Amino acid sequence: MKITAAVAPAKNQAFEMQEVELDAPKDNEVLIKIVATGVCHTDVAGQEGLTTPFEAVFGHEGAGIVEQVGAAVSSVKPGDHVVLSFSYCGQCRNCLAGHPGMCEKFNELNFFGPNFDGSHRLHSAHGDLNLYFGQSSFATYTVADEHNVVKVPDDVDLTILGPLGCGIQTGAGTVLNYMRPSKDDTIAIFGMGPVGLAAVLGAKVAGAKRIIVFDRKESKLAFAKEFGATDCYNSLQVNPEEVIKDIEPGGVDFSLDTTGVPAVAETAVHILRPAGEAVLVGIGGDLKLNMMTDLVAESKKVAGLVEGDAIPQKFIPEMIKYYQEGRFAFDKLIKVYDFKDLNQAMDDFKAGKVLKPVVKM
C-alpha cells in the first residue's frame, strides 16, 4: 500500500516526506495506522548516522490503531489501540527468561535495517528503506512484528502514549523493574531529560525514601520537584559528590546516569554506599574507574541497561494504570507537533526547547 513516510536520506540531513510502498503484513505481523509517535534521543542518533544505514525511516515510539493482523497473530485484533515498542526475538535465553531488552539479537533487530527474516517491508523510488526498531513509526502506517505491539486501553488518548514505548519506559523501568528500591533506599539521578524525569516518577511510585536529582537547568529541576524528587540540585552550582557526602554520608543505595557524560557516570559510582549500584543508560565515551578503590574494595556494582529491563506487553499497561491513578504524570513533558513539522520538532528537541516532542499524524 502507498503511505507517507519521513525518509532520512543521509547523515545529518532533514527528513523528506515521501510517498513510499509498505508491504502487507506477514503471518506474524500487524498493520497499524499511526496516530502519533514520540521523538527520542535515539532518533537523533539515527539521524546523525550512529545507528542505522541510510536510506531509512526512523521513529520508534509509535501509537496507533490495528487495521489488519497476520494469520499467526493472537494478541491483538483490528480496531485495538496499541503502542509500539522495541523489537526482540522472543526465543533466545534472555528473552525466555523475561528480559527482552537484553535480547541476544537486540542490535540486529532494532538497528541493522532489515526485517526479522532479512527482507525489507518499506520501499521508495530508490529501492529498499531500512527499518528502525522494527517499526519505523515516522509514517502514516506501519507493519510491525507482533513482539513490537502492545495492546492498550482505548479510553486513553493515543496521542500521548507513544513515548511509553521507549524513553519513558527506559527511565521508569530502570527503577521499577531493575533497581526495585525499597522504602528505605535512596537514589540519585543525573540528567532531568524525559528519561531522568521518568525515573523520578518511577522512584516516587516505588516509594523510595530519598530521591536526589541533578541537572543544569532550573526548569527541569522544577519538573523533578513536581514529580516527587526530595532534593534537587543545579550541578553548575554544586559539586554532586560533596552534596551527597553532606546529606547522605554513607552514600546512596542506587544511582542512575542518563546523560552519557563519562565524568557524570564516574560520579554516579563514587557516590554509592558500599554494595550500592550505579546504572548507566546514556550513550557516552570511556569511563575511568579504579577497579580497586571504585569497585572491588566496597563491592560496588555498575550496570548498563536498555529499555528499563521491561517486558513491554506487561510494563506499558502498568505505566498507563499509574497514569490513570494520577501517579505518573508523564503527559506534562509532551508537546504535540503536526507530522509535517517533524523537522521542526527534531530541531526544537535538539536545542532543548522541548522535553518530549510528539508528532501527530
Side-chain angles (χ1 to χ4, degrees):
M1 64 184 290
K2 299 291 185 183
I3 68 169
T4 300
V7 177
K11 180 178 178 180
N12 289 323
Q13 289 192 15
F15 298 116
E16 299 175 356
M17 296 295 174
Q18 296 183 15
E19 183 180 77
V20 303
E21 185 72 24
L22 176 65
D23 291 347
K26 299 175 183 176
D27 285 353
N28 60 314
E29 294 177 338
V30 181
L31 171 66
I32 298 147
K33 181 179 181 180
I34 298 295
V35 170
T37 184
V39 175
C40 178
H41 281 291
T42 315
D43 295 311
V44 175
Q47 189 182 37
E48 293 175 346
L50 299 178
T51 58
T52 300
F54 299 99
E55 292 184 319
V57 177
F58 295 114
H60 65 289
E61 294 182 342
I65 300 171
V66 175
E67 293 222 337
Q68 183 182 346
V69 301
V73 173
S74 60
S75 61
V76 294
K77 64 183 183 304
D80 283 346
H81 288 202
V82 296
V83 167
L84 301 178
S85 193
F86 60 90
S87 197
Y88 59 94
C89 75
Q91 299 176 350
C92 71
R93 181 170 62 179
N94 290 338
C95 285
L96 293 174
H99 303 285
M102 303 177 191
C103 175
E104 293 174 6
K105 295 184 177 180
F106 186 91
N107 288 333
E108 175 185 343
L109 295 176
N110 289 280
F111 299 126
F112 285 11
N115 192 9
F116 267 68
D117 60 5
S119 64
H120 288 76
R121 63 169 76 107
L122 282 169
H123 318 278
S124 75
H126 303 115
D128 294 335
L129 294 168
N130 284 315
L131 292 171
Y132 205 52
F133 279 73
Q135 60 174 275
S136 293
S137 56
F138 286 169
T140 52
Y141 289 81
T142 191
V143 167
D145 187 89
E146 186 176 15
H147 288 138
N148 289 82
V149 181
V150 181
K151 187 178 184 300
V152 297
D154 60 10
D155 60 348
V156 183
D157 183 7
L158 272 171
T159 302
I160 66 169
L161 294 186
L164 296 177
C166 185
I168 306 300
Q169 175 172 257
T170 294
T174 296
V175 176
L176 290 169
N177 299 324
Y178 183 79
M179 293 179 176
R180 300 184 181 182
S182 74
K183 298 187 185 301
D184 295 322
D185 285 337
T186 55
I187 178 172
I189 304 169
F190 294 86
M192 291 295 102
V195 173
L197 288 166
V200 173
L201 288 169
K204 181 66 174 177
V205 168
K209 179 176 71 174
R210 198 165 200 170
I211 307 167
I212 308 161
V213 304
F214 297 91
D215 198 273
R216 295 183 171 191
K217 289 190 175 182
E218 292 296 334
S219 60
K220 293 182 178 181
L221 292 171
F223 267 116
K225 188 70 174 178
E226 180 182 352
F227 284 178
T230 58
D231 305 84
C232 302
Y233 296 96
N234 190 316
S235 50
L236 291 174
Q237 301 172 5
V238 301
N239 181 319
E241 292 193 38
E242 293 178 359
V243 166
I244 297 300
K245 286 179 182 178
D246 182 48
I247 66 174
E248 289 289 335
V252 297
D253 297 285
F254 298 99
S255 62
L256 170 63
D257 174 51
T258 71
T259 71
V261 177
V264 177
E266 291 157 16
T267 296
V269 175
H270 294 161
I271 64 173
L272 293 171
R273 68 165 177 82
E277 183 166 14
V279 181
L280 313 180
V281 301
I283 301 173
D286 295 334
L287 296 182
K288 296 180 180 179
L289 295 174
N290 184 295
M291 189 176 295
M292 182 63 181
T293 58
D294 286 332
L295 299 176
V296 177
E298 294 186 336
S299 300
K300 293 179 179 178
K301 303 168 186 65
V302 180
L305 198 68
V306 298
E307 299 292 350
D309 196 19
I311 302 172
Q313 288 75 13
K314 176 176 181 290
F315 189 56
I316 289 174
E318 288 177 4
M319 289 188 286
I320 293 173
K321 178 174 177 289
Y322 298 144
Y323 168 72
Q324 291 175 314
E325 293 171 349
R327 298 196 289 156
F328 199 78
F330 72 97
D331 59 315
K332 294 184 178 181
L333 306 177
I334 289 171
K335 179 179 178 180
V336 178
Y337 294 75
D338 288 334
F339 185 37
K340 64 180 175 59
D341 297 322
L342 173 60
N343 284 310
Q344 185 63 58
M346 292 286 288
D347 289 344
D348 288 351
F349 185 47
K350 287 185 278 189
K353 295 179 180 179
V354 59
L355 279 169
K356 192 63 180 177
V358 165
V359 293
K360 188 172 182 178
M361 305 305 165

